[in-house]
Amino acid sequence: MGQISSLHKIHFISIGGSVMHNLAIELHLKGFLVSGSDDEIYEPSAGRLAKYDLLPAITGWFPEKITADLEAVILGMHARQDNPELAKARELGIKVYSYPEYIFEQSQHKQRVVIAGSHGKTTITSMILHVLNYNNRVFNYLVGAQIEGFDNMVKLSENAPLIVIEGDEYFTSPLDPTPKFMHYQPHIALISGIAWDHYNVFPTWESYVKQFELLADSLPKAGAIIFDETDDMLDVIGRKERPDVVSTSYNAHPYKVVDGKTILVTAELGEVPVLVFGNHNMKNISGARAVCERLGITDEEFYSAIQTFKGASKRLELLGSKATVNIYRDFAHAPSKVEATTGALKEQFPERTLIACAELHTFSSLNKTFLKQYRRKLNAADIAVVYYNPQTLEHKRLESITEEEIRAAFKRDDLKVFTDSAELTDFLKSLKWENANLLMMSSGTFGDTDLKKLSEEILAF
């Protein structure tokens, strides 16, 4: 190990990021000497870094950590352009990578599969990894959520002939406005759908769509694009003539819902029960199957594996249940995700009252201009609730929003709006919890609400 470590000494600027800390752990496990800095590190990153003795002793930036014997510096998205460690690395002429550039560097000789799209990419990537793992394939990966059966979110090994990457359209680093997915140079690209997001980065619908067209146009000869044909804009991009590039479309896998259980209907293998549900997940299954088919997985192998897929972390995750009550949390925050998740739960349990609560906390969701994209997105809920923290608006330097403006944007007069998390939880606990489901949707924390505890308190009624 000593010799390997002397050759591979890597420093992470912004080591606390979700992918960054996983990449740091993976390189450490490979025998690299890894160091890192950050100005704030939250859980679960802090605990996971500490487990491997990679957690910086003090938060902040320390140019003295940047020494001439470093092989490379990996720059995280949340560092600023004037970061003092970055300045020192440049001064010493040390190679600086963004993490997408570094992942490509480590996988140049592998078949590269990139899963992109405004929604569903984490779940589709997770499904593919689950199927490959179930069938004992050797592969590398990068995925945006924790998955059962996988210790880390990043795997890089010399012997794997294949890497499956969840690729997003967001900027690569403070120095590079290229979408991350462009750096991976995929041989196979799946695009799951295009729904305008990241309003702060892509101020127009056209500029947002353009990123996915660039990805599709970048595919090499003998490459393949796989896309959701029910998405009108994506249908145009997917069917565009590209010499020697295979184009494959998919839509929702045929299915039926029986007594709150989803069953896939297949031509060759009959009925296949699955643990995930909702029309959006039936599309995700079809997309994952199309990719797996190109990777040599047979239908028998795919359907055998998909039955045990429980979903990625925080994606329609069941927090608790009793006879006629289920409580879920979901990472949904963009308008298309809020609509898909709410609709999925109502379809799965049509007889139950659905209480759906969405937190607005991203730059886009709290922007007055963008807010109208949520029009009627909570309509599948019997009781619709929106929570936001006014301090988040101040922190993001956004114009204040009134309850009336939120109701008007969602086009729902009976929408309950809360700005205090304690009042929100009191309201939820005051409802009649019989033959009802609760859905909590956010990429945030509902003002540091302990959702597991809330679940237990509701189920105790």
Side-chain angles (χ1 to χ4, degrees):
M1 280 292 185
Q3 193 178 1
I4 294 174
S5 298
S6 66
L7 292 173
H8 297 295
K9 193 174 176 189
I10 309 282
H11 181 79
F12 285 74
I13 300 177
S14 279
I15 197 170
S18 63
V19 172
M20 289 284 281
H21 87 273
N22 277 284
L23 179 55
I25 290 168
E26 173 62 8
L27 294 184
H28 166 76
L29 293 173
K30 278 172 66 111
F32 288 32
L33 275 179
V34 174
S35 60
S37 303
D38 214 324
D39 53 359
E40 48 186 15
I41 303 179
Y42 300 108
E43 292 299 346
S45 303
R48 297 187 76 236
L49 286 168
K51 178 182 170 185
Y52 296 98
D53 205 23
L54 297 174
L55 185 67
I58 309 168
T59 55
W61 310 114
F62 303 94
E64 59 272 21
K65 287 185 178 183
I66 309 301
T67 51
D69 59 343
L70 283 171
E71 179 185 286
V73 164
I74 302 178
L75 177 67
M77 183 61 215
H78 300 292
R80 296 184 183 276
Q81 288 189 19
D82 61 356
N83 185 284
E85 293 185 4
L86 175 60
K88 182 73 177 292
R90 285 170 147 175
E91 183 188 314
L92 293 176
I94 296 165
K95 177 74 178 168
V96 177
Y97 294 94
S98 62
Y99 82 70
E101 289 171 319
Y102 193 78
I103 294 288
F104 174 75
E105 181 84 7
Q106 296 292 303
S107 56
Q108 283 189 61
H109 305 297
K110 303 178 189 297
Q111 183 182 25
R112 294 180 298 281
V113 178
V114 168
I115 311 302
S118 308
H119 41 247
K121 57 184 174 287
T122 301
T123 298
I124 295 171
T125 308
S126 302
M127 285 175 173
I128 294 166
L129 302 192
H130 177 83
V131 171
L132 292 173
N133 200 38
Y134 182 95
N135 288 290
N136 300 312
R137 297 299 176 97
V138 177
F139 61 97
N140 286 169
Y141 58 86
L142 185 161
V143 63
Q146 214 58 49
I147 319 169
E148 193 170 288
F150 293 84
D151 295 332
N152 212 12
M153 288 160 54
V154 179
K155 178 71 177 174
L156 294 170
S157 61
E158 307 303 322
N159 64 331
L162 161 74
I163 184 166
V164 183
I165 301 168
E166 177 185 343
D168 72 62
E169 65 276 20
Y170 209 62
F171 287 0
T172 293
S173 80
L175 308 179
D176 182 1
T178 312
K180 291 192 191 81
F181 54 40
M182 293 300 290
H183 286 293
Y184 300 128
Q185 298 183 35
H187 303 101
I188 300 171
L190 178 144
I191 307 179
S192 62
I194 302 176
W196 191 21
D197 199 5
H198 302 315
Y199 178 80
N200 51 324
V201 179
F202 306 108
T204 65
W205 161 245
E206 291 75 17
S207 65
Y208 185 66
V209 170
K210 185 67 181 167
Q211 312 311 312
F212 296 97
E213 190 171 7
L214 289 170
L215 175 64
D217 288 346
S218 74
L219 288 164
K221 287 191 173 186
I225 178 167
I226 297 165
F227 64 96
D228 176 2
E229 67 185 18
T230 66
D231 184 302
D232 292 343
M233 184 53 68
L234 193 46
D235 203 32
V236 173
I237 292 172
R239 296 194 195 281
K240 180 176 164 184
E241 195 64 39
R242 295 182 181 88
D244 301 316
V245 172
V246 176
S247 175
T248 303
S249 65
Y250 66 88
N251 53 33
H253 194 293
Y255 71 105
K256 60 184 182 180
V257 179
V258 181
D259 298 330
K261 306 285 183 194
T262 293
I263 299 164
L264 302 180
V265 179
T266 75
E268 302 295 323
L269 301 166
E271 297 184 349
V272 178
V274 287
L275 301 171
V276 293
F277 60 86
N279 191 68
H280 66 300
N281 272 325
M282 299 306 104
K283 287 184 180 181
N284 293 340
I285 285 174
S286 285
R289 180 178 163 226
V291 171
C292 287
E293 190 177 1
R294 292 204 70 80
L295 299 177
I297 295 286
T298 66
D299 271 357
E300 287 83 356
E301 288 172 326
F302 180 83
Y303 287 117
S304 181
I306 204 67
Q307 294 180 56
T308 54
F309 177 71
K310 292 182 179 176
S313 174
K314 296 181 185 173
R315 269 66 176 183
L316 266 175
E317 181 182 341
L318 185 64
L319 289 175
S321 65
K322 61 182 183 183
T324 62
V325 181
N326 284 3
I327 299 175
Y328 296 88
R329 85 163 139 201
D330 193 87
F331 196 67
H333 53 89
S336 61
K337 296 176 184 176
V338 168
E339 182 179 41
T341 306
T342 310
L345 206 47
K346 192 61 185 175
E347 180 191 46
Q348 195 75 357
F349 300 97
E351 305 304 318
R352 292 190 190 178
T353 302
L354 174 58
I355 298 100
C357 182
E359 177 180 11
L360 306 178
H361 89 113
T362 64
F363 185 96
S364 296
S365 68
L366 288 167
N367 188 291
K368 276 190 181 179
T369 310
F370 187 83
L371 197 58
K372 59 179 177 286
Q373 300 290 323
Y374 285 93
R375 186 184 179 106
R376 299 198 172 97
K377 299 303 186 201
L378 279 172
N379 274 14
D382 298 290
I383 298 173
V385 183
V386 164
Y387 166 81
Y388 73 98
N389 185 339
Q391 287 180 318
T392 308
L393 284 161
E394 288 174 31
H395 178 68
K396 295 183 188 293
R397 297 176 186 169
L398 289 165
E399 199 181 335
S400 61
I401 306 171
T402 65
E403 289 186 21
E404 290 71 29
E405 285 170 326
I406 290 175
R407 283 194 193 93
F410 276 82
K411 209 76 179 159
R412 184 151 178 169
D413 294 338
D414 65 345
L415 186 72
K416 310 277 184 202
V417 181
F418 291 92
T419 56
D420 181 292
S421 57
E423 287 178 14
L424 168 64
T425 55
D426 286 345
F427 167 73
L428 293 174
K429 287 190 279 189
S430 74
L431 297 173
K432 281 190 175 159
W433 289 101
E434 205 174 297
N435 204 32
N437 285 338
L438 173 61
L439 171 61
M440 303 293 285
M441 293 176 283
S442 177
S443 55
T445 62
F446 286 98
D448 293 324
T449 299
D450 185 337
L451 294 183
K452 197 78 181 159
K453 184 176 171 219
L454 173 64
S455 168
E456 288 164 4
E457 288 172 346
I458 287 172
L459 293 172
F461 282 110

